């Protein structure tokens, strides 16, 4: 635990900063109130927006100030967080946001008793707190190239294990392990030298139970072992369900060879051993810094069924999905036990609950309005839409639903295939649609008396690194600055039941994603209007 003297210093410094921020906030509130009152606009909705903006900015400044003080003092004292201190800081920051939210609420209620949209900004701040605290903890952990984690709560924990074929020990595994150890990391790799007859899943599970991260050296030697390919698919599925734990390195192997062994691994961000140990070491540190899940804490969902993912991905690749394709993905599944649905009824269930958007640009979900092939599977049905489009050389949309109403859907980015759209972009309106439609589809299934009381949804966007947010609607002004995503994969997990307010749920997801693009002060009113249009079955103007 951190000493009382250090805690006292942090508390003292923060109390000074907090007083300044509170004073600034109150001054701004008084000034804006006086201005609107003198112009006869005291009861206007614009004043609610201003109050929300000022108080939420105050809360944000308070969080930043506390985190900076924590970092500066702990760095000087070489005192990292323990698990309990991490939780303590999370709770403290949440209480600060609650305080600003309460003050804002008192102001807003005097103007409008029914306006609740202002709360979204504070919910967004609260959802970001675990992420920012975890990022600070990661910075403290690797500061100076050494791990400074508390041994009291962590126990016998390794930072990395290295999974590799024995033939690759001398050329890459051992030099990398030695370099990591010299940097102050704890590395366990000898016992995970993979020889003939080992099972990948068992080795990975054993290593991850005692290590924070696993470095997997993929090579022809590695793949020449007697691994069933579905073990690799299971590993991919497992890693995709939570925070990043697998750090792959390609060693003397080409993209074409990786595709031959396991197409899904091609799309996974990896390092090539030919870059050299210093480069690998630097990239490992960067990955370590970004070890933060982007999953929202609002109605956090349980983990998707691995068997569903493994079957659907295998079926999808056999049906023509291209390797290393950037994609959008939805996984949806009931959280309560249900009686199996007859397979012959699934097509009708999907059709009866399909989302159909009115207006130009409107489409249907889960399958598009173009030619769609429906395929019978042993316990479900699949849909493949690969019909040609006049605007694209390549088009592929796939979904699968089984008799447990577990649903998997994946498609590429239309922005990447349309010849008239800049590559590597994401349209804001299409993003909102990709969020609203599956949530509406889940709600429809719940109220259809199929025995489902709650659905968990896992929304994934892969291939997001350096993707630019754009507006394709020519009736709207383009963004005044660039918003670039720095995360390779975005994941948002939520739960939906009959009582869920879809607008609030959608706004929380949108806010988290925009934050990853660096668009923290997005046009809340316009985004709300667009989402309301989608949720009412219309494509926004």
């Amino acid at each position: 635990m951190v000493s009382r003297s250090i805690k006292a210093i942090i508390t003292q410094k923060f109390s000074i900063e907090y007083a300044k921020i509170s004073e600034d906030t109150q001054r701004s509130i008084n000034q804006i109130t006086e201005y609107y009152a003198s112009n006869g606009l005291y009861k206007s909705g614009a004043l609610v927006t201003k109050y929300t903006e000022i108080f939420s900015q105050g809360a944000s400044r308070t969080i930043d100030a506390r985190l900076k003080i924590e970092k500066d003092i702990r760095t000087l004292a070489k005192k990292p967080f323990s698990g309990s201190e991490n939780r303590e800081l999370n709770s403290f920051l949440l209480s600060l946001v609650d305080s600003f939210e309460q003050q804002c609420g008192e102001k807003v209620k005097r103007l409008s008793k029914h306006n609740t949209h202002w709360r979204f900004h504070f919910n967004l701040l609260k959802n970001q707190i675990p992420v920012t605290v975890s990022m600070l903890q990661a910075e403290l952990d690797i500061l100076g190239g050494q791990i400074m984690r508390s041994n009291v709560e962590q126990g016998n924990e390794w930072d990395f294990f290295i999974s590799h074929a024995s033939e690759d020990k001398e050329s890459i595994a051992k030099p990398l392990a030695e370099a990591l150890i010299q940097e102050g990391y704890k590395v366990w790799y000898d016992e995970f030298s993979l020889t003939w007859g080992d099972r990948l899943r068992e080795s990975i599970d054993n290593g991850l139970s005692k290590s924070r991260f696993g470095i997997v050296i993929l090579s022809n030697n590695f793949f020449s072992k007697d691994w069933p390919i579905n073990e690799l698919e299971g590993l991919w599925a497992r890693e995709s369900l939570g925070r990043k734990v697998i750090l792959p390195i390609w060693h003397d192997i080409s993209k074409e060879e990786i595709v031959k062994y396991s197409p899904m691994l091609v799309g996974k961000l990896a390092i090539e051993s030919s870059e050299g140990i210093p480069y690998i070491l630097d990239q490992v540190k960067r990955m370590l810094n970004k070890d933060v899940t982007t999953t929202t804490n609002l109605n956090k969902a349980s983990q998707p069924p691995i068997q569903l993912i493994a079957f659907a991905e295998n079926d999808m690749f056999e049906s023509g999905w291209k390797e290393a394709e950037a994609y959008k993905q939805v996984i949806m599944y009931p959280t309560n036990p249900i009686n199996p649905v007859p397979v012959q009824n699934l097509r009708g269930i999907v059709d009866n609950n399909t989302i159909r958007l009115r207006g130009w640009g409107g489409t249907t979900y889960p399958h598009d309005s173009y030619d769609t092939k429906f395929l019978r599977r042993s316990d479900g049905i699949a849909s493949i839409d690969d019909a040609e489009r006049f605007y694209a050389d390549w088009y592929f949309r796939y979904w699968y639903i089984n008799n447990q109403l577990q649903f998997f859907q994946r498609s590429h980015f239309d922005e990447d295939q349309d010849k008239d759209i800049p590559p590597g972009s994401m349209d804001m309106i299409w993003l909102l649609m990709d969020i609203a439609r599956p949530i509406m589809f889940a709600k429809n299934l719940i109220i259809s008396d199929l025995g489902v009381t709650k659905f968990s949804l896992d929304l994934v966007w892969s291939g997001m690194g350096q993707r630019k947010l754009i507006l394709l609607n020519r009736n709207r002004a383009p963004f005044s600055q660039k918003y670039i995503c720095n995360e390779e994969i975005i994941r948002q997990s939520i739960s939906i039941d009959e009582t869920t307010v879809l607008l609030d749920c959608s706004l929380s997801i949108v806010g988290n994603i925009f934050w990853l693009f660096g668009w923290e002060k997005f046009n809340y009113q316009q985004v709300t209007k667009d989402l309301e249009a989608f949720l009412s079955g219309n494509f926004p103007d």
Side-chain angles (χ1 to χ4, degrees):
M1 299 291 289
V2 68
S3 68
R4 291 183 180 273
S5 60
I6 292 176
K7 277 191 172 182
I9 294 172
I10 292 174
T11 301
Q12 181 182 14
K13 285 183 171 293
F14 176 71
S15 63
I16 297 173
E17 291 298 319
Y18 181 71
K20 292 179 181 178
I21 295 171
S22 297
E23 183 179 344
D24 290 344
T25 301
Q26 191 58 54
R27 184 187 304 111
S28 297
I29 289 294
N30 293 339
Q31 290 174 347
I32 200 68
T33 301
E34 182 180 351
Y35 172 80
Y36 273 75
S38 63
N39 287 276
L41 301 172
Y42 181 70
K43 290 287 186 178
S44 70
L47 184 55
V48 173
T49 301
K50 286 294 183 181
Y51 281 160
T52 304
E53 183 179 301
I54 292 170
F55 279 114
S56 61
Q57 286 177 354
S60 180
R61 285 180 59 197
T62 303
I63 292 172
D64 292 342
R66 180 58 185 243
L67 291 176
K68 184 179 185 302
I69 292 170
E70 291 276 354
K71 179 180 178 180
D72 292 345
I73 300 301
R74 289 177 180 274
T75 299
L76 289 173
K78 297 185 178 180
K79 292 289 185 181
F81 287 118
S82 65
S84 61
E85 289 165 344
N86 182 308
R87 293 188 292 272
E88 182 180 333
L89 180 57
N90 270 278
S91 298
F92 179 73
L93 294 179
L94 285 172
S95 69
L96 291 175
V97 177
D98 284 337
S99 175
F100 280 93
E101 182 178 13
Q102 183 179 357
Q103 295 176 63
C104 184
E106 292 173 355
K107 290 287 187 182
V108 170
K109 286 178 183 177
R110 298 174 187 174
L111 306 176
S112 174
K113 295 182 179 179
H114 304 292
N115 189 330
T116 60
H117 289 171
W118 60 273
R119 293 187 180 277
F120 166 74
H121 293 270
F122 296 96
N123 289 334
L124 179 59
L125 284 174
K126 293 175 185 178
N127 287 335
Q128 292 171 359
I129 284 174
V131 176
T132 54
V133 172
S134 295
M135 291 176 67
L136 173 61
Q137 182 169 3
E139 286 185 54
L140 292 170
D141 281 350
I142 66 170
L143 191 65
Q146 59 182 341
I147 299 297
M148 301 192 304
R149 295 174 64 91
S150 170
N151 292 323
V152 175
E153 293 191 6
Q154 295 301 322
N156 185 20
E157 182 181 81
W158 300 85
D159 299 307
F160 300 100
F161 79 93
I162 300 180
S163 177
H164 63 288
S166 56
E167 294 88 344
D168 300 322
K169 177 185 288 289
E170 296 299 324
S171 58
I172 178 65
K174 184 176 179 180
L176 177 58
E178 290 175 343
L180 288 168
I181 291 171
Q182 288 178 1
E183 290 289 328
Y185 296 107
K186 292 182 290 184
V187 181
W188 188 8
Y189 79 100
D190 280 334
E191 293 186 29
F192 294 92
S193 178
L194 303 178
T195 57
W196 190 91
D198 290 342
R199 292 179 61 82
L200 177 60
R201 174 72 69 81
E202 292 174 358
S203 297
I204 296 294
D205 285 348
N206 188 26
L208 289 181
S209 68
K210 298 179 181 179
S211 301
R212 295 173 61 200
F213 300 93
I215 297 175
V216 182
I217 299 175
L218 303 175
S219 66
N220 284 297
N221 293 323
F222 183 93
F223 287 111
S224 67
K225 307 300 178 181
D226 191 21
W227 318 125
I229 196 65
N230 63 342
E231 292 287 333
L232 278 173
E233 293 172 353
L235 173 62
W236 171 264
R238 178 188 174 195
E239 205 271 349
S240 70
L241 300 180
R243 70 178 180 86
K244 187 180 184 68
V245 292
I246 305 299
L247 311 179
I249 295 177
W250 293 6
H251 180 57
D252 294 336
I253 192 169
S254 66
K255 175 181 176 181
E256 290 72 25
E257 289 170 316
I258 293 283
V259 169
K260 181 178 67 175
Y261 292 122
S262 179
M264 286 176 290
L265 287 174
V266 175
K268 191 170 179 60
L269 197 62
I271 304 170
E272 294 192 23
S273 64
S274 59
E275 298 286 351
I277 296 297
Y279 177 82
I280 295 175
L281 201 60
D282 179 68
Q283 293 302 305
V284 166
K285 290 179 182 178
R286 291 176 183 271
M287 290 182 183
L288 198 63
N289 262 326
K290 297 175 70 173
D291 171 42
V292 178
T293 179
T294 60
T295 302
T296 178
N297 290 318
L298 177 66
N299 295 328
K300 188 173 180 181
S302 56
Q303 292 187 344
I306 292 178
Q307 290 183 342
L308 168 72
I309 300 171
F311 175 86
E313 287 189 327
N314 183 67
D315 189 36
M316 181 181 59
F317 277 101
E318 289 184 354
S319 301
W321 177 262
K322 288 185 178 181
E323 298 84 6
E325 185 83 353
Y327 62 81
K328 302 175 291 186
Q329 177 177 289
V330 176
I331 299 174
M332 185 175 74
Y333 54 98
T335 60
N336 63 291
I338 66 169
N339 294 322
V341 177
V343 174
Q344 62 269 24
N345 294 350
L346 288 174
R347 173 72 184 277
I349 290 173
V350 172
D351 287 341
N352 291 337
N353 293 283
T354 289
I355 304 303
R356 295 175 173 84
L357 298 177
R358 298 177 291 272
W360 185 91
T363 59
T364 59
Y365 184 90
H367 50 266
D368 210 331
S369 57
Y370 293 86
D371 295 335
T372 301
K373 295 179 286 187
F374 291 94
L375 305 173
R376 177 76 175 261
R377 300 295 184 241
S378 60
D379 63 346
I381 60 171
S383 165
I384 299 172
D385 181 1
D386 58 357
E388 293 183 3
R389 304 294 200 266
F390 70 92
Y391 57 83
D393 294 327
W394 158 247
Y395 189 91
F396 195 97
R397 187 184 305 271
Y398 170 93
W399 60 257
Y400 164 75
I401 188 170
N402 63 22
N403 59 4
Q404 296 293 324
L405 296 184
Q406 297 173 341
F407 175 82
F408 176 102
Q409 185 261 334
R410 184 183 288 183
S411 65
H412 58 62
F413 286 85
D414 288 347
E415 296 91 331
D416 290 351
Q417 310 305 327
D418 195 314
K419 302 172 184 177
D420 297 325
I421 299 176
S425 59
M426 170 179 272
D427 178 59
M428 187 196 79
I429 301 298
W430 290 355
L431 170 62
L432 300 184
M433 181 173 66
D434 290 335
I435 293 170
R437 292 190 306 179
I439 291 175
M440 296 165 65
F441 181 55
K443 189 69 171 285
N444 282 358
L445 290 174
I446 290 174
I447 62 178
S448 295
D449 197 25
L450 297 170
V452 181
T453 59
K454 179 183 289 187
F455 269 112
S456 282
L457 285 84
D458 193 53
L459 310 180
V460 178
W461 293 262
S462 179
M464 293 295 296
Q466 299 303 303
R467 193 171 288 272
K468 180 182 178 182
L469 198 63
I470 63 172
L471 265 174
L472 292 175
N473 189 333
R474 296 181 180 178
N475 295 324
R476 300 190 187 185
F479 293 120
S480 59
Q481 65 184 82
K482 292 183 179 180
Y483 298 109
I484 308 294
C485 183
N486 292 317
E487 295 289 338
E488 181 65 18
I489 297 176
I490 293 178
R491 176 173 295 103
Q492 296 289 298
S493 298
I494 55 172
S495 292
I496 300 292
D497 60 27
E498 193 170 355
T499 65
T500 301
V501 179
L502 300 190
L503 178 60
D504 293 345
C505 178
S506 303
L507 280 170
S508 294
I509 296 174
V510 170
N512 288 340
I513 294 176
F514 286 165
W515 181 70
L516 295 173
F517 276 90
W519 194 19
E520 299 177 16
K521 299 178 181 178
F522 62 89
N523 190 333
Y524 175 78
Q525 292 181 334
Q526 184 62 60
V527 169
T528 300
K529 182 179 178 182
D530 291 338
L531 282 172
E532 287 175 337
F534 279 124
L535 295 173
S536 61
N538 298 294
F539 197 90
D541 296 328

